[in-house]
Amino acid sequence: MTLTLRALAGSISAAALIAAAPLAAHAAGDVSFIQAVEPAGLDPTVGSPVAAGQVTWQNIFEGLVTIDRDGALQPQLATSWEISEDGLTYTFLLREGVTFHNGAVFDSSVAKFSLERILAEQSTNGQKALFTVIEAVEAPDAQTLVLRLSAPSSDLLYWLGFPAAVIVEPGSAETNTSAPVGTGPFKLDEWRQGDRVIMSAYDGYWGEAPALDRVTARFIADPQAQVAALRSGQVDGIAEFGAPELFEQFTKDAGFVTHVGTGEMEIVAGMNTARPPFDDVRVRRALMMAVDRNMLIEAVKSGYGTPIGSHFSPASPFYEDLTGAFPYDPEGAKALLAEAGYGDGFEFTFKVPTRTYAQRSAEILQAYFSQIGVTAEIESSDFPAAWIQDVFKDTNYDMTIIGHAEPLDINIYARHPYYFNYENPAFDATIAEIAGAATPDARAEGYHKAQEIIAQDMPALFLFSEPKLGIWKAGLEGVWENGPVPSNDMTEVHWAE
Amino acid sequence: MLAFKRLARQIGGLAVVLAIASLVIFLLIEAAPGDPASIMLGTNASPDTVAALRAELGLDRPLLLRYLSWLGGVFTGDLGNSYTYGVPVAQLIGDRLAVTVPLTAIATLLSIVISLPLGVWAANRPNGPVDTLASLFSQVGIAVPNFWIGLLLILGVALGLGWLTPGGFPGWQAGAWPALEALILPAIALAIPQSAVLTRVTRAAVIEVTNEDFVRTARAKGMSRTRALWRHTVPNALLPVVTMLGLQIPFLISGAVLVENVFTLPGIGTLAYQALSQRDLIVVQNVVLMFTLIVMVVNVIVDALYAVLDPRLRGRT
């Protein structure tokens, strides 16, 4: 009887606690954030790095180098490095006193293991292609790591700072997908699949200890449910809120702080340039001129977002505003179509992935195209499954629309095969020049040239860059406002006094 | 002895149907477009990386071999590992059942508690105020989808009134009440369409039985209206109600998929939805097979209940 009573009293007090939870805003060292897409596994070096990185990068895992909130390269597990004159040898000096969450010690053999694992034949790293320029990895002594390249690669250091290249150790590498072990300031406590990941501060961290004791990533896909979780105080914020039309209410609420940052995602309507009439550059330009990008952003993103004229977003350090190349001009578009022999317009199938931004954009584009006599028939394509197979791999499409989230990914237009079926030797040569660039200026110049070439060739309609809409509880400080890397870096996050 | 034989036959039949169902499920899921490895690796992976992952997941094996190894696993209790999560499917399903089973149980209980009294009361006084109310309730309840009821409950009850949680699940380790609290609104959303149907069926069944000769005879012998209702009418009207309850189980499960997503509950429904969109085929196969098994088992239970409810069916096969 006493037991039952005690249990009853316990559950009543628990109920009282829960009821009071929204009032007692938060525990001091505790932050939970919403992550829309649950990662397939928690190891960003396996599979696609985006969602896994958004949970674990910088929190659990660290790299030789890292990218900071301004998009700049910073040392991390490597304290310094030297690049040989010919750009083919990289020598890293590694940090001492770094341990993994399981006690394993970080040294050059661990770094060597990590990089060789990415390059291995049976590697399942989704970004492996970025690192294949590394020919050999050597560990002459415990604190020195040497990379030998087959060709210069001006982007390599940058890529080594990304989630796909974080350092893992041999003993835990195989189980990192479900039980990640890194060198970061937080270690995994628990992953409740389908619900949340809980991390807590790691006592043995080599750097400055984080302000937070506990960080929780909550997986909530639906924007309405995200709003409900934010409003009820269940979570403390979201770095990338996906429903701009629901964003306004938070900007006016003193209980929240909002950020409109720039992200790396460019929304582009790719065309199959191997298929008529999209093989004619005049047709592609005419379709671009038929679209008023500002109105599109207004309709699709409630005005949040930036028009783009090429494949880089304003978040990129090499961004060049090329929206003036083919501005909105329906009359000019009609004339250009007539010149290409499509004065009476044409019909095509618009394969649209089942993503809100894509579906909404497609409908607006369809209306704009009809103004110049072009009929787009919208066909939904289940994303990711059907779309990846049908459009991306088999290139069985006329036009599609998708967001490209990887930074510096303008080189996709130089990939063969790739779903645009775009062939331009001059562009390929530019991408090769960028890789071999000896100076930062030469690299920047190359990226500008690449943007200009595709702005003219228009293998895709360049529409807008996705805004990064952050919503956080008032009093929370230190979150990233912009998104040079898709991430939720919690290392500097803290509650105001 | 007879009952035992009958049970044995039913279980044998169950196994055969399940084996056939497993083949159909496997082939249907295989036929759906989308390669799990390409989806997991994203749009930046090169073809040889995709091939490496396919080999790791065993997707490069012949179709028949993959089917047989799955089927063999199912019968030995090894459901395989999730492609995406990398953990055993059995563990995933087990974790999720801890949410979905209580959710659907509460919803079923709630729908019975609402619909039986309402239906009987409505039938007892046809065209009376309660009957009008009941018919209004069942019209609206059938017409309105459960996920929309869920959204209304979140907006009105959780956010508007500040009662109960608007979604998410704290886990049973957080205590019984916090966990139950998270299930109340979803269970109501799930129960309303169910009870709408059940109210209708109960009302119709009770009215039909009320007009039977034996009820009239009982009344003619001087039995009171209420006593005749509870002693003769309701027990005889339960048969179609139980049938409908059994038939509703598949709808309850598919309803749970939507409602769990609206309330972001980590149940079987969200697991199935997520696994399907990511082509985590091994998870989808097992979850669908489990749904099939549940529906078949419910049918067996309903069959057995007939015998309990109707003595005339006892001993028949």
Side-chain angles (χ1 to χ4, degrees), chain B residues 209-230:
Chain B
V209 176
T210 309
N211 297 331
E212 293 274 346
D213 291 345
F214 63 87
V215 178
R216 203 174 46 213
T217 310
R219 293 276 289 135
K221 276 168 43 184
M223 193 182 268
S224 78
R225 191 188 168 91
T226 317
R227 194 169 147 74
L229 180 73
W230 292 111

Side-chain angles (χ1 to χ4, degrees), chain A residues 162-469:
Chain A
F162 268 74
V166 295
I167 299 298
V168 300
E169 63 92 28
S172 51
E174 285 310 308
T175 50
N176 273 343
T177 45
S178 54
V181 172
T183 58
F186 296 101
K187 60 181 172 51
L188 180 85
D189 277 355
E190 191 188 355
W191 179 14
R192 287 189 217 152
Q193 279 92 356
D195 185 30
R196 67 189 72 189
V197 162
I198 305 169
M199 300 172 262
S200 63
Y202 167 51
D203 294 335
Y205 184 55
W206 59 267
E208 197 185 326
L212 301 175
D213 306 319
R214 217 161 92 110
V215 171
T216 306
R218 289 277 308 271
F219 306 118
I220 304 176
D222 179 60
Q224 295 284 0
Q226 292 173 353
V227 170
L230 287 164
R231 285 242 161 261
S232 68
Q234 277 191 353
V235 294
D236 300 315
I238 177 167
E240 282 178 67
F241 185 59
E245 68 279 10
L246 301 174
F247 183 67
E248 196 73 22
Q249 54 177 309
F250 291 100
T251 63
K252 295 173 186 148
D253 189 327
F256 295 93
V257 174
T258 55
H259 310 293
V260 182
T262 49
E264 273 288 353
M265 180 138 104
E266 302 94 16
I267 313 294
V268 305
M271 289 164 282
N272 188 348
T273 62
R275 228 184 235 190
F278 300 100
D279 55 347
D280 189 329
V281 69
R282 290 170 297 186
V283 171
R284 304 199 295 266
R285 288 175 180 169
L287 291 176
M288 185 74 260
M289 287 157 73
V291 179
D292 182 345
R293 283 175 273 221
N294 285 312
M295 289 307 292
L296 178 73
I297 294 169
E298 200 58 50
V300 177
K301 289 280 161 193
S302 303
Y304 297 105
T306 316
I308 51 171
S310 189
H311 193 77
F312 277 163
S313 88
S316 166
F318 305 112
Y319 169 72
E320 184 178 339
D321 183 359
L322 291 163
T323 46
F326 297 98
Y328 178 50
D329 176 9
E331 289 312 312
K334 274 188 212 165
L336 201 54
L337 268 191
E339 193 190 312
Y342 293 98
D344 298 330
F346 62 91
E347 282 182 30
F348 73 93
T349 307
F350 196 171
K351 281 197 182 155
V352 183
T354 48
R355 282 289 176 271
T356 314
Y357 69 84
Q359 303 267 343
R360 284 189 197 166
S361 300
E363 283 167 21
I364 309 287
L365 291 177
Q366 183 186 41
Y368 274 125
F369 295 155
S370 73
Q371 306 269 315
I372 60 163
V374 173
T375 310
E377 183 152 344
I378 293 179
E379 194 181 300
S380 274
S381 177
D382 183 28
F383 188 86
W387 186 87
I388 289 211
Q389 185 71 44
D390 198 29
V391 176
F392 191 74
K393 283 179 86 179
D394 298 343
T395 68
N396 174 28
Y397 78 107
D398 295 331
M399 182 189 275
T400 186
I401 179 169
I402 196 79
H404 283 268
E406 305 293 339
L408 294 186
D409 62 350
I410 201 167
N411 57 7
I412 56 176
Y413 297 91
R415 278 202 206 163
H416 311 290
Y418 206 68
Y419 74 99
F420 309 110
N421 289 321
Y422 170 65
E423 305 267 353
N424 181 350
F427 183 81
D428 296 1
T430 308
I431 293 298
E433 276 167 31
I434 295 169
T439 64
D441 282 350
R443 181 168 167 240
E445 200 182 311
Y447 273 124
H448 282 287
K449 193 172 157 196
Q451 288 175 76
E452 286 156 20
I453 294 174
I454 54 164
Q456 288 297 321
D457 278 358
M458 198 80 49
L461 305 181
F462 301 108
L463 302 172
F464 57 89
S465 82
E466 180 89 357
K468 188 169 184 258
L469 303 178

Side-chain angles (χ1 to χ4, degrees), chain A residues 126-150:
Chain A
Q127 307 283 56
K128 177 184 170 184
L130 301 173
F131 303 100
T132 44
V133 68
I134 302 173
E135 218 168 36
V137 187
E138 295 159 13
D141 66 63
Q143 303 314 132
T144 311
L145 184 79
V146 179
L147 305 185
R148 301 206 184 276
L149 276 53
S150 56

Side-chain angles (χ1 to χ4, degrees), chain B residues 91-153:
Chain B
Q91 178 203 324
L92 271 182
I93 290 181
D95 287 351
R96 303 305 184 90
L97 282 177
V99 177
T100 304
V101 168
L103 173 67
T104 46
I106 296 171
T108 307
L109 213 65
L110 211 57
S111 65
I112 294 172
V113 168
I114 296 171
S115 59
L116 277 192
L118 195 59
V120 172
W121 201 354
N124 198 29
R125 294 261 186 271
N127 300 322
V130 175
D131 190 25
T132 315
L133 194 77
S135 101
L136 189 74
F137 169 74
S138 55
Q139 299 267 1
V140 174
I142 291 168
V144 176
N146 52 22
F147 62 88
W148 196 68
I149 299 176
L151 286 174
L152 288 187
L153 289 173

Side-chain angles (χ1 to χ4, degrees), chain A residues 33 35 37-39 42 49-61 188 197-199 215 217 219 486-490:
Chain A
F33 64 89
Q35 158 72 19
V37 181
E38 179 174 25
L42 294 180
V50 179
Q54 281 170 325
V55 176
T56 63
W57 185 71
Q58 293 307 309
N59 298 328
I60 291 179
F61 289 114
L188 180 85
V197 162
I198 305 169
M199 300 172 262
V215 171
F219 306 118
S487 61
N488 280 289
D489 180 345
M490 290 285 137

